[in-house]
Amino acid sequence: MFQPLISKAHCRGFEIEIEDSKRLADSLDKAVMESDPYFNKLLRILSTRCMSPAQYFCSGEYKPTEWHHYGLAAPVYTHFTSPIRRYADVCVHRLLAAAIGVSPLPVHLSSKSYLHDLTANMNRRHRSAQLAGRASVQLHTLIFFSGEGGEKEEDAYVLDVETSEGIEPSFTVIVPRYGIEGRVILSNIAANDPYLTRDADQHSITYKDDTIQVFDKVRVRLFVNELEDHQRELVIDLLEPDFESQNDKERPKKRAREH
């Protein structure tokens, strides 16, 4: 699951070790480019996305070797913060209190099948809350970039480059100032254009004399595009480098939709 991160770091001359979270943290600390301080933050963003989200589960359903928490480098880990914060903590407090003889175990928590359903519901609710939060951010992002003065020009960084043959050339960018990501589609360049070169090992695409590689800084324009039925989408146009030839000026502009 860390292979994309390892490959992208390697193309910039850095080695990422993933044997455990301590070695991962140490290798990330060493991956610093003096010419671009933001490079290390990009690596950390990508490393976090390689990890599977933590899940609540009933320990009786898994072997102890499967209880570990990779991100915290802990062989056994459970929530134990404050019972006023979240229901998961309340359940953990009740189970631990029964385990050390402080209070009796509630009858319903003695059932493995009940705990299975309980943890599944917690995971489902947590995921729903994340999706609701993202939807809220997306809505307010559209509001921010709508109307007069909504259009912005900003620096962005390349997080991923599409290098598969036969697919319209594109790459994903993140705009640090707003925390927005979008996939820039080079719609003026055909998938089979003879001047287009893709390099999967270097995570780059080259068109004539211009090259875009993962972690490169680019310049983009952000604005909201009005669609049919009162729908709106955030669009990101590539400004620099300019991948258009003189004959391409009349073609549709390069753009991206927000993730």
Side-chain angles (χ1 to χ4, degrees), residues 75-177:
V76 179
Y77 170 80
T78 187
H79 272 162
F80 196 96
T81 53
S82 168
I84 65 172
R85 288 188 58 203
R86 57 175 80 98
Y87 183 58
D89 294 322
V90 174
C91 294
V92 170
H93 276 243
R94 290 172 179 171
L95 291 168
L96 292 179
I100 62 177
V102 172
S103 62
L105 180 67
V107 176
H108 63 282
L109 292 182
S110 63
S111 169
K112 184 186 294 186
S113 62
Y114 178 87
L115 288 176
H116 171 85
D117 294 341
L118 186 67
T119 55
N121 185 55
M122 288 178 187
N123 292 327
R124 186 165 53 251
R125 294 288 186 175
H126 177 64
R127 177 62 176 166
S128 297
Q130 288 182 319
L131 294 177
R134 293 173 187 175
S136 176
V137 170
Q138 184 178 41
L139 171 62
H140 286 86
T141 296
L142 290 174
I143 294 174
F144 177 79
F145 286 102
S146 297
E148 294 185 11
E151 183 177 309
K152 308 289 183 183
E153 292 187 9
E154 295 292 340
D155 290 334
Y157 287 86
V158 179
L159 283 178
D160 185 61
V161 179
E162 178 58 69
T163 57
S164 301
E165 297 293 339
I167 298 178
E168 193 172 35
S170 63
F171 54 92
T172 300
V173 298
I174 181 171
V175 184
R177 182 171 182 178

Side-chain angles (χ1 to χ4, degrees), residues 188-217:
N188 64 302
I189 303 174
N192 59 349
D193 193 304
Y195 293 103
L196 177 66
T197 303
R198 311 171 196 253
D199 191 330
D201 293 333
Q202 292 299 312
H203 297 274
S204 67
I205 54 175
T206 300
Y207 184 66
K208 297 183 178 179
D209 297 326
D210 291 314
T211 298
I212 286 182
Q213 185 180 27
V214 67
F215 303 124
D216 277 354
K217 180 190 285 189

Side-chain angles (χ1 to χ4, degrees), residues 43-90:
L43 275 182
R44 294 180 185 277
I45 291 173
L46 293 176
S47 67
T48 300
R49 295 178 182 180
C50 291
M51 301 180 194
S52 300
Q55 299 284 317
Y56 296 112
F57 66 94
C58 178
S59 61
E61 297 181 324
Y62 296 88
K63 297 178 181 179
T65 54
E66 299 180 70
W67 296 354
H68 68 281
H69 192 296
Y70 180 88
L72 299 177
V76 179
Y77 170 80
T78 187
H79 272 162
F80 196 96
T81 53
S82 168
I84 65 172
R85 288 188 58 203
R86 57 175 80 98
Y87 183 58
D89 294 322
V90 174

